[in-house]
Amino acid sequence: MTGTLFLLSLIFFLWVPLEVVCGAGNASDSSSWPRSVNIGALFTYDSVIGRAARPAIAAAVDDVNADPSILHGTKLNIIFHDTNCSGFLGIVEALQLMENDVVAAVGPQSSGIAHVISHVVNELHVPLLSFAATDPTLSALQYPYFIRTTQSDYFQMYAVANLVEYFGWREVIAIFVDDDYGRNGVSVLGDALAERRAKISYKAAFTPGAPESAISDLLNGVNLMESRVYVLHVNPDSGLTIFSVAKTLGMLNSGYVWIATDWLPSLLDSIEPVNVDTMNLLQGVVALRHYTPDTDLRKRFVTRWNDLKYKKNAGPADFNSYALYAYDSVWLAAHAIDTFFREGGNVSFSDDPRLQDTNGSTLNLASLRTFDGGQKFLQILMRMNFTGLSGQIQFDQDKNLVHPASDVLNIAGTGFRRIGYWSNYSGLSVVAPEILFRNPPNTSNSNQHLYGVIWPGETTSIPRGWVFPNNGKPLRIAVPNRVSYKEFVAKDSSPPGVRGYCIDVFEAAINLLPYPVPRTYMLYGDGKRNPVYNDLVNQVAANNYDAAVGDVTIVTNRTKIVDFTQPYMESGLVVVAPVKKMKSSPWAFLKPFTLEMWCVTSAFFLLVGAVIWILEHRTNHEFRGPPSQQLITIFWLFSFSTMFFSHRENTVSALGRTVLIIWLFVVLIINSSYTASLTSILTVQQLTSRIEGIDSLISSNEPIGIQDGSFARNYLIDELNIAESRIVTLKNLEEYVTVLQNGPKNGGVAAIVDELAYIELFLSTTNCLYRTVGQEFTKSGWGFAFQKDSPLAVDLSTAILQLSENGDLQKIHDKWLTRNECSMQLNTVDDNQLSLNSFWGLFLICGLACFLSILVFFCRVLCQYRRFIPEGEEVAAGEIELARSRRGIRSTSSFKDLMDFVDRKEEEIKQMLKRKPNENKQQASPSTDGQRSSPA
């Protein structure tokens, strides 16, 4: 007994020190690496997303705890809480979860619950890692502790907008669940469409959990609208009900377009086996699915999915992309916790004084404690970067995952096929996003590509995307009730109640459309005066009319509020004024040429005569004689006689003949032009007007007439700064004639400014008593006006082009607007006169020929002059006078001596140059050198 007590005492004393030592060591380790760390999980168990998320989260926790390279022995505990798809219960469950001192929470899946819980985690500094809350507004700075581990609907809605733009649609109808998830997603869709000049024409919202009857009423109303492109943004658990009702209403037939967001692929991925009835319901639907790269890591997890033991404990497990994001969320938390501990972090919680004072409330708010290291842990989470099942896990500055991308799917047969991809890096493409990320970003329209789509009704033709609303309301078309120029548009007693050129063009274009257009024509105006067309266009923009058909001019301020079709008639502003016949003048023969032309032509007659005389004087005896006779030869007998090719003098020198040939060619052109111009002046009736165009009209202070209701009034006042007091409004053709006849001095106008189409008709009805003066000073056209973004404007523009190409537009024009052409010219005298601008090239050639000929001539004369009296030569005393005429260039002889030499005949000079040098030396005087050196 004593031995036993001794042995027990020895064991006790040995064990206590060891326990103290070991206990001290473990305490030291637990300060930085605790035995366990708690994280929470919030989602709805019994939902499409929840059934996929629960086994994925549990598998991720087991994989983390089994991996020795992370957390180093610290166990990761997961605490599940079911939000039961209820906002209220979700808040309660979140508060209960926070009582367990969790350092992070995975979830929730609902965006509405995430909005409320985010306020809780903000106070307690616990990061919220949501794998399914896709509401774009959750990325706001208001929720710093909310981290989205899946893709935001912001990018998904831009993908939908890209699809709408790619297929050329302009309007869509958004059908969505009326909660934070639906409303905020559709709001982003509206912004994305607006950037691409498209819009949401109607937002069809229904309450969460709405009965089938409410959905049927909603779709019945939608089906009566114009757009046939539907974007469906709902929850996976209620989305199929909408398609079922739509099928019953015939809204899944040819001509309809359905674009579903990622909820539909998530639902279909989770259905095992494939339900044939469900797939038949969805034929032709286009859907988007979050893109996840097909890596080996992902393949291993998908293969492992069916063997997860958690399926047996938690009921059926439905695999979809949210399972991958839930799995990666757990690993994100694990990597961040590991880094947190490595950087000296400590898991500790402290009481919040504000939660201790509950004012007598029985709620156990004091059990909620703040995570002391929450701010540091949040920063670590935001800089994590690793590759998970869903791809790269890394966040940008807006807390969104980098490189968001989607699969573009088309449901056909018993499954769906991928027709392309979308990424915010390159838009729509048939190349996988990870390949495109290696190249520079390119979102240009030419770079957008998709494979062919099989649309509802098993058609491959892209649906037009809209029809006329099937609500019994025909198109309301406003027609101007004109009192003048009724050939264009006017009231009619027989159906459809209007007639005219514009109406026929519109009807012909409507008949070319591949669909019926119910329409009702409604007269606009009191019938006593023409309506104001700006007001008519404003009525269309204000939705009082659907369109305006008539002689509506396309001008800038109108295009800002309505859409116009392709112009079906060209028309611009012109000036029409009274004209009078030009009286014949006894000086009409001078009118063909301007004064400048007459002066230059006369000068060249004298110049050429003088040049010919210089070139011919030494060799041609007809150009020699007394000075008076030579002047007559130059200025009359030769110069002016060449005008009629009747000169008698012959030219013998080569230079003279060259100049004469060129001059005769110039004279031929001048004679021909003069004859043609004079014939036109004397034989064609000429008209003239005091007003020469818009410029002279602006510079005057006289009244100007305009058509009642025309845009010309605002144009003259606002653009040309013409005083409003000068504008006279004219109601009908009779007033046009009256004011033009009276003129500005008798209460009339100096001219009328109106569109060319009206003026041509006016001139033909007045037997061409008036004329347009000047040029058309604006360029515009007539078109049919529709409300902004109306697809009918685009289709009618195509129809109008077709009418123009097949000649029908011209036939309609000839039917209503046949008229007599006013062919008589309206020109001023200056318009018919020929100026120097038309002939300066000829005069330049002739002048150069004269200059070069004179230059060659004098060079030859100077050479002869130098040879005639070489330097150092002596002259006999008896030939002093002859020597003076032979003095060379280097002597001090006067210019008269040179002229005397030039005046000698060519033959005489040649004979003198042939004398022998020795004879010249014998006849030379001894004092010749002295005479040469003395001045003449």
Side-chain angles (χ1 to χ4, degrees):
M1 184 63 179
T2 304
T4 302
L5 292 174
F6 175 80
L7 181 62
L8 290 174
S9 299
L10 180 62
I11 294 173
F12 175 79
F13 285 108
L14 290 175
W15 176 78
V16 168
L18 290 174
E19 182 66 19
V20 171
V21 173
C22 294
N26 291 336
S28 176
D29 293 338
S30 64
S31 63
S32 56
W33 297 91
R35 289 190 177 93
S36 64
V37 177
N38 295 334
I39 63 172
L42 282 167
F43 54 89
T44 300
Y45 293 172
D46 189 17
S47 66
V48 172
I49 296 177
R51 287 192 293 270
R54 188 173 186 181
I57 292 174
V61 171
D62 278 358
D63 291 345
V64 169
N65 290 331
D67 191 341
S69 65
I70 192 169
L71 295 181
H72 302 283
T74 299
K75 183 181 180 181
L76 186 67
N77 293 330
I78 184 73
I79 302 173
F80 289 96
H81 278 262
D82 187 1
T83 59
N84 290 298
C85 201
S86 168
F88 174 73
L89 294 178
I91 297 172
V92 173
E93 294 293 333
L95 294 175
Q96 292 178 355
L97 175 63
M98 297 304 163
E99 294 177 353
N100 297 299
D101 291 342
V102 295
V103 298
V106 177
Q109 72 186 61
S110 168
S111 296
I113 297 176
H115 275 281
V116 180
I117 298 178
S118 292
H119 294 287
V120 176
V121 298
N122 286 350
E123 294 295 329
L124 302 180
H125 297 176
V126 177
L128 194 62
L129 311 180
S130 178
F131 59 88
T134 56
D135 178 4
T137 61
L138 287 169
S139 299
L141 298 176
Q142 181 183 4
Y143 309 111
Y145 281 88
F146 177 86
I147 300 176
R148 195 193 325 269
T149 57
T150 186
Q151 296 181 25
S152 169
D153 279 342
Y154 175 88
F155 303 105
Q156 183 172 215
M157 292 307 170
Y158 269 82
V160 173
N162 266 30
L163 283 171
V164 172
E165 181 186 31
Y166 178 79
F167 291 111
W169 301 314
R170 301 290 295 277
E171 294 183 5
V172 304
I173 292 178
I175 303 174
F176 60 98
V177 59
D178 195 9
D179 58 9
D180 292 326
Y181 159 75
R183 285 191 304 271
N184 295 329
V186 169
S187 177
V188 173
L189 175 62
D191 295 339
L193 290 173
E195 293 180 11
R196 291 157 175 80
R197 296 198 62 188
K199 67 177 183 179
I200 300 175
S201 60
Y202 183 72
K203 295 180 179 180
F206 61 91
T207 59
E212 186 173 328
S213 59
I215 294 176
S216 179
D217 293 339
L218 179 71
L219 294 184
N220 266 310
V222 165
N223 197 31
L224 296 177
M225 296 178 184
E226 184 177 88
S227 178
R228 285 291 183 266
V229 181
Y230 305 127
V231 177
L232 194 57
H233 187 53
V234 296
N235 295 317
D237 301 281
S238 59
L240 288 182
T241 304
I242 295 176
F243 281 112
S244 178
V245 175
K247 183 73 172 180
T248 303
L249 298 177
M251 298 176 66
L252 288 169
N253 297 328
S254 178
Y256 289 85
V257 176
W258 289 87
I259 301 176
T261 52
D262 67 281
W263 68 268
L264 181 57
S266 299
L267 175 62
L268 296 181
D269 285 338
S270 63
I271 298 177
E272 293 182 6
V274 175
N275 189 318
V276 177
D277 293 335
T278 300
M279 299 308 296
N280 289 337
L281 192 66
L282 302 174
Q283 295 298 301
V285 174
V286 175
L288 295 173
R289 178 177 61 189
H290 294 157
Y291 174 75
T292 54
D294 194 17
T295 60
D296 293 337
L297 187 65
R298 181 181 185 276
K299 291 178 180 177
R300 287 195 296 269
F301 180 79
V302 172
T303 303
R304 175 188 169 199
W305 178 261
N306 293 327
D307 299 329
L308 291 176
K309 63 181 180 180
Y310 306 100
K311 289 184 65 176
K312 299 178 181 178
N313 299 333
D318 303 328
F319 177 82
N320 54 47
S321 61
Y322 288 102
L324 306 178
Y325 291 114
Y327 183 92
D328 287 343
S329 298
V330 174
W331 273 95
L332 173 64
H335 281 294
I337 293 171
D338 184 79
T339 304
F340 179 74
F341 290 151
R342 288 178 182 275
E343 294 181 0
N346 183 28
V347 177
S348 62
F349 296 85
S350 58
D351 295 330
D352 188 341
R354 292 173 297 177
L355 298 177
Q356 301 301 316
D357 184 10
T358 60
N359 295 324
S361 173
T362 59
L363 296 176
N364 189 22
L365 297 179
S367 61
L368 301 178
R369 300 195 301 168
T370 303
F371 179 24
D372 296 331
Q375 182 63 36
K376 179 179 180 180
F377 186 53
L378 175 65
Q379 295 175 357
I380 293 173
L381 282 168
M382 294 309 302
R383 55 186 171 89
M384 284 291 99
N385 185 3
F386 67 96
T387 301
L389 299 181
S390 60
Q392 185 178 2
I393 307 299
Q394 183 183 1
F395 301 98
D396 60 18
Q397 59 183 2
D398 296 323
K399 298 193 299 181
N400 292 315
L401 288 176
V402 297
H403 300 321
S406 298
D407 292 318
V408 183
L409 308 175
N410 180 212
I411 300 176
T414 58
F416 43 74
R417 61 191 185 93
R418 184 189 290 119
I419 59 174
Y421 306 90
W422 177 90
S423 70
N424 69 330
Y425 196 77
S426 296
L428 299 173
S429 175
V430 295
V431 181
E434 61 266 23
I435 299 176
L436 294 174
F437 294 150
R438 305 170 190 168
N439 304 320
N442 185 359
T443 57
S444 63
N445 291 335
S446 60
N447 196 51
Q448 308 299 298
H449 301 287
L450 288 176
Y451 293 120
V453 179
I454 300 176
W455 302 101
E458 297 184 357
T459 177
T460 58
S461 300
I462 299 175
R464 189 170 62 251
W466 70 277
V467 294
F468 275 94
N470 188 22
N471 53 13
K473 294 182 180 179
L475 204 65
R476 301 165 299 169
I477 301 177
V479 177
N481 191 7
R482 296 190 58 88
V483 297
S484 62
Y485 298 114
K486 293 187 176 182
E487 292 86 350
F488 295 106
V489 61
K491 180 181 179 181
D492 192 16
S493 57
S494 59
V498 288
R499 62 181 178 84
Y501 166 74
C502 301
I503 302 301
D504 281 5
V505 172
F506 182 74
E507 287 289 333
I510 287 291
N511 292 333
L512 291 177
L513 298 181
Y515 48 86
V517 181
R519 55 198 178 277
T520 299
Y521 293 105
M522 307 170 69
L523 290 172
Y524 181 81
D526 56 11
K528 298 179 180 179
R529 58 185 299 179
N530 294 334
V532 179
Y533 280 62
N534 282 340
D535 295 342
L536 173 60
V537 173
N538 288 332
Q539 291 294 317
V540 175
N543 197 28
N544 294 326
Y545 299 101
D546 297 311
V549 172
D551 48 339
V552 183
T553 306
I554 304 172
V555 293
T556 304
N557 63 326
R558 295 174 183 173
T559 59
K560 295 178 181 178
I561 58 176
V562 296
D563 281 347
F564 281 95
T565 63
Q566 168 81 16
Y568 61 89
M569 171 175 274
E570 300 294 332
S571 184
L573 291 179
V574 294
V575 178
V576 61
V579 296
K580 60 182 179 180
K581 297 180 181 179
M582 294 177 59
K583 296 180 180 180
S584 180
S585 170
W587 302 101
F589 66 91
L590 294 176
K591 292 180 180 179
F593 290 160
T594 61
L595 178 61
E596 183 184 34
M597 180 64 182
W598 279 117
C599 294
V600 173
T601 303
S602 301
F604 262 83
F605 273 113
L606 298 178
L607 173 65
V608 172
V611 170
I612 295 295
W613 178 85
I614 293 173
L615 298 177
E616 295 290 323
H617 179 69
R618 303 183 74 197
T619 58
N620 194 338
H621 69 277
E622 293 184 5
F623 288 85
R624 301 186 67 84
S628 59
Q629 181 179 350
Q630 294 185 47
L631 287 175
I632 293 174
T633 301
I634 295 173
F635 296 116
W636 180 251
L637 295 180
F638 185 83
S639 296
F640 289 102
S641 61
T642 55
M643 178 180 289
F644 311 102
F645 305 98
S646 60
H647 53 283
R648 296 178 302 171
E649 295 78 5
N650 295 320
T651 53
V652 296
S653 66
L655 293 175
R657 290 176 177 177
T658 300
V659 172
L660 182 60
I661 289 174
I662 295 175
W663 174 240
L664 290 178
F665 175 75
V666 174
V667 170
L668 175 64
I669 300 300
I670 293 175
N671 278 343
S672 301
S673 303
Y674 176 85
T675 303
S677 180
L678 183 61
T679 302
S680 175
I681 292 173
L682 296 179
T683 58
V684 178
Q685 188 176 19
Q686 301 292 314
L687 302 175
T688 185
S689 172
R690 187 170 50 85
I691 301 298
E692 298 179 358
I694 187 63
D695 293 332
S696 61
L697 195 60
I698 294 173
S699 61
S700 69
N701 292 319
E702 297 175 335
I704 302 172
I706 63 165
Q707 184 183 171
D708 191 15
S710 172
F711 79 98
R713 179 184 184 87
N714 292 337
Y715 183 84
L716 294 178
I717 296 173
D718 299 337
E719 302 296 332
L720 302 183
N721 298 319
I722 294 177
E724 188 174 358
S725 59
R726 294 178 57 190
I727 306 298
V728 178
T729 302
L730 308 175
K731 298 180 180 179
N732 50 51
L733 293 182
E734 290 74 15
E735 292 190 4
Y736 274 52
V737 176
T738 301
V739 295
L740 288 175
Q741 287 179 346
N742 292 339
K745 295 182 180 179
N746 298 318
V749 297
I752 293 175
V753 174
D754 207 346
E755 294 183 70
L756 182 60
Y758 301 120
I759 293 303
E760 288 179 344
L761 195 59
F762 167 69
L763 296 180
S764 65
T765 57
T766 55
N767 294 322
C768 303
L769 294 177
Y770 309 98
R771 293 291 185 277
T772 58
V773 293
Q775 300 295 322
E776 188 176 355
F777 58 93
T778 65
K779 292 293 183 181
S780 59
W782 292 353
F784 304 127
F786 290 86
Q787 294 180 14
K788 270 292 185 182
D789 299 323
S790 172
L792 189 59
V794 179
D795 287 356
L796 275 179
S797 294
T798 304
I800 290 172
L801 289 175
Q802 187 175 346
L803 287 175
S804 177
E805 292 171 357
N806 61 23
D808 289 344
L809 193 61
Q810 185 62 42
K811 293 178 183 178
I812 299 173
H813 181 277
D814 295 340
K815 171 186 173 182
W816 288 97
L817 305 177
T818 53
R819 57 186 180 273
N820 297 323
E821 296 290 341
C822 299
S823 58
M824 288 184 292
Q825 299 176 358
L826 175 60
N827 294 318
T828 62
V829 175
D830 293 340
D831 293 335
N832 287 328
Q833 287 185 316
L834 299 173
S835 65
L836 184 61
N837 292 333
S838 303
F839 300 96
W840 68 267
L842 289 173
F843 287 125
L844 177 63
I845 294 173
C846 185
L848 288 175
C850 293
F851 173 76
L852 294 176
S853 298
I854 290 295
L855 183 63
V856 172
F857 173 78
F858 276 106
C859 288
R860 189 177 63 181
V861 169
L862 289 176
C863 290
Q864 290 178 345
Y865 192 45
R866 295 182 63 183
R867 291 172 55 200
F868 183 62
I869 307 179
E871 187 175 354
E873 181 181 0
E874 296 182 356
V875 183
E879 297 182 352
I880 266 301
E881 187 175 346
L882 180 60
R884 286 181 177 178
S885 64
R886 297 177 180 174
R887 288 170 185 169
I889 270 179
R890 294 188 180 92
S891 69
T892 59
S893 302
S894 66
F895 182 72
K896 182 179 178 181
D897 296 335
L898 178 60
M899 290 299 101
D900 289 341
F901 177 79
V902 173
D903 189 52
R904 289 178 177 271
K905 290 184 178 182
E906 185 76 16
E907 296 178 355
E908 181 180 351
I909 296 300
K910 290 181 179 180
Q911 290 178 1
M912 292 181 178
L913 292 176
K914 291 180 180 180
R915 294 179 181 177
K916 296 180 180 181
N918 54 358
E919 294 177 354
N920 290 335
K921 289 181 180 180
Q922 292 176 1
Q923 295 176 359
S925 172
S927 59
T928 300
D929 291 338
Q931 292 175 353
R932 287 182 181 173
S933 60
S934 62

